[in-house]
Amino acid sequence: MKSTEETLEELGWNAFFSEQVSPDEALLCHPVRVMAVHRGKIAVAGLGPQRFITPYIPGALPTDDHPTVGDWVLVDGATVQPVRVLQRMNLFKRRSPADPRRDQMIAANVDTVFIVASCNQDFSVARLERYLVLTREVGVDPVVVLTKSDLTDTPETFAAAARAIEPGLLVQTVNGRDPADVAGLAAWCGPGKTVAFLGSSGVGKSTLVNSLRGSDSIATQAVRAHDSTGRHTTTVREMHRLDHGGWLLDLPGMRELQLSDAATGIAEVFDDFALAAQDCKFSDCSHGVEPGCAVRAAIEAGTLTSERFARWRRLEAEETANSAKLTKRRSR
């Protein structure tokens, strides 16, 4: 961290959070931001030097009321113990690999998501769509960042494939090792702003973070030559101070990102299919062999593609199945 004395505004404090604090709480408590989550403790800033405190909040459930990285937490001014988590602008979470009945929180209060992919054989439109569904469901604006542009002669081919997913989708191609090239991302990294990175292992997230911070303090690993993939290097969720005054969440590679309760995100990312489906003859059309299917007609006409249709149906089926399982397990 560049400084141990950031103001609340520099940490991302704004009217959305201040309006949640009553006059009595303002006299007795102080807001701090969760900068990192470790086992059994959290690192917070906003009270001078960064310090570690226990994340336990009396009466809080071990799910959404538990502090996660990016959260704003009110702490008792005398004991510096957590009192409550302030309402979040947004929250990224997934099903917990350890207990599918519970959600695992990933990050809170994010302004922009950098969805990171690489310009090599590991590039996947389907994976980008999956991450876009997640960001749209949460309600955070995404920017697709394509790394390793220096390792290909045709970076624009990858950029065009990403832009084709959604009209108006912001896509940036960068050489993550070149600070001058990475400077093009500064518009989203201003004072008090929080950017989160999402992407599979080995796409160059840690290298990109190092360039944005002007530091090589985050470990990186080379990708495997035979398949252009790598292992994730981030093991602790934490916020990093950026040279432009913002904050960056470098998250662990999400090997098991399963969609649940993401119907809205899927509808936004695949709104072309959702709009076409409204013209189907039958409201419960499965877009298979039914007569009057507008989706099949659009595919035959070439305005929609069968490949994207297949990805849409897979994500819808996954979301429906996972949501049903989660509801059933929670009810038990």
Side-chain angles (χ1 to χ4, degrees):
M1 182 178 294
K2 187 173 73 173
S3 170
T4 58
E5 301 292 339
E6 290 90 1
T7 66
L8 294 182
E9 288 73 21
E10 289 174 326
L11 290 169
W13 184 258
N14 56 40
F16 176 85
F17 302 109
S18 61
E19 291 172 355
Q20 301 179 47
V21 183
S22 69
D24 289 341
E25 286 178 321
L27 292 174
L28 301 174
C29 302
H30 192 87
V32 295
R33 195 165 194 196
V34 179
M35 310 305 289
V37 175
H38 300 265
R39 182 172 297 180
K41 58 186 178 180
I42 56 176
V44 300
L47 286 172
Q50 186 177 136
R51 65 178 70 187
F52 291 97
I53 63 174
T54 172
Y56 175 71
I57 296 178
L61 298 173
T63 53
D64 287 2
D65 292 325
H66 193 79
T68 191
V69 63
D71 264 330
W72 282 96
V73 179
L74 282 185
V75 298
D76 186 284
T79 65
V80 197
Q81 292 302 302
V83 175
R84 68 182 178 95
V85 178
L86 295 184
Q87 180 185 347
R88 301 164 173 124
M89 295 192 300
N90 48 64
L91 173 65
F92 286 89
K93 57 186 179 181
R94 67 172 179 178
R95 286 194 302 154
S96 171
D99 186 351
R101 293 171 298 178
R102 294 181 177 178
D103 293 325
Q104 181 185 61
M105 296 183 296
I106 302 170
N109 302 315
V110 173
D111 295 296
T112 306
V113 173
F114 286 166
I115 299 177
V116 187
S118 51
C119 296
N120 58 20
Q121 66 192 66
D122 193 44
F123 177 85
S124 168
V125 169
R127 191 179 300 124
L128 288 178
E129 288 172 339
R130 180 178 289 269
Y131 283 118
L132 280 170
V133 166
L134 177 63
T135 59
R136 295 302 189 193
E137 184 67 30
V138 175
V140 181
D141 292 331
V143 177
V144 175
V145 180
L146 302 179
T147 62
K148 307 182 182 181
S149 62
D150 55 313
L151 302 181
T152 177
D153 295 329
T154 58
E156 188 54 37
T157 300
F158 295 93
R163 292 190 182 100
I165 297 174
E166 278 187 1
L169 180 63
L170 295 174
V171 179
Q172 298 281 321
T173 57
V174 299
N175 172 4
R177 300 183 183 278
D178 184 353
D181 201 19
V182 173
L185 303 176
W188 296 279
C189 304
K193 296 298 182 181
T194 301
V195 177
F197 273 28
L198 287 176
S200 59
S201 303
V203 297
K205 288 183 296 179
S206 295
T207 299
L208 202 53
V209 173
N210 287 337
S211 295
L212 284 167
R213 298 181 68 218
S215 166
D216 59 356
S217 60
I218 297 177
T220 61
Q221 294 184 13
V223 299
R224 297 194 299 262
H226 71 278
D227 59 4
S228 297
T229 61
R231 299 175 180 175
H232 72 89
T233 53
T234 304
T235 56
V236 175
R237 287 170 290 157
E238 59 184 317
M239 297 178 66
H240 302 282
R241 184 68 180 266
L242 301 176
D243 287 343
H244 298 284
W247 297 92
L248 188 144
L249 292 167
D250 184 28
L251 305 175
M254 298 173 65
R255 297 188 183 97
E256 299 178 1
L257 177 58
Q258 297 292 318
L259 299 179
S260 61
D261 298 327
T264 300
I266 292 174
E268 288 192 26
V269 174
F270 293 89
D271 61 346
D272 47 352
F273 283 93
L275 288 172
Q278 293 179 5
D279 295 327
C280 289
K281 181 177 180 179
F282 301 104
S283 60
D284 59 348
C285 182
S286 67
H287 316 304
V289 297
E290 296 93 337
C293 176
V295 171
R296 285 294 179 186
I299 293 174
E300 292 172 4
T303 56
L304 298 176
T305 68
S306 57
E307 294 81 9
R308 184 167 159 81
F309 172 77
R311 296 196 299 271
W312 173 51
R313 297 313 299 269
R314 279 198 298 269
L315 289 178
E316 278 201 326
E318 177 184 322
E319 192 276 338
T320 300
N322 287 340
S323 295
K325 290 178 182 178
L326 190 59
T327 300
K328 185 176 181 180
R329 285 166 177 161
R330 283 172 174 169
S331 67
R332 290 176 179 174

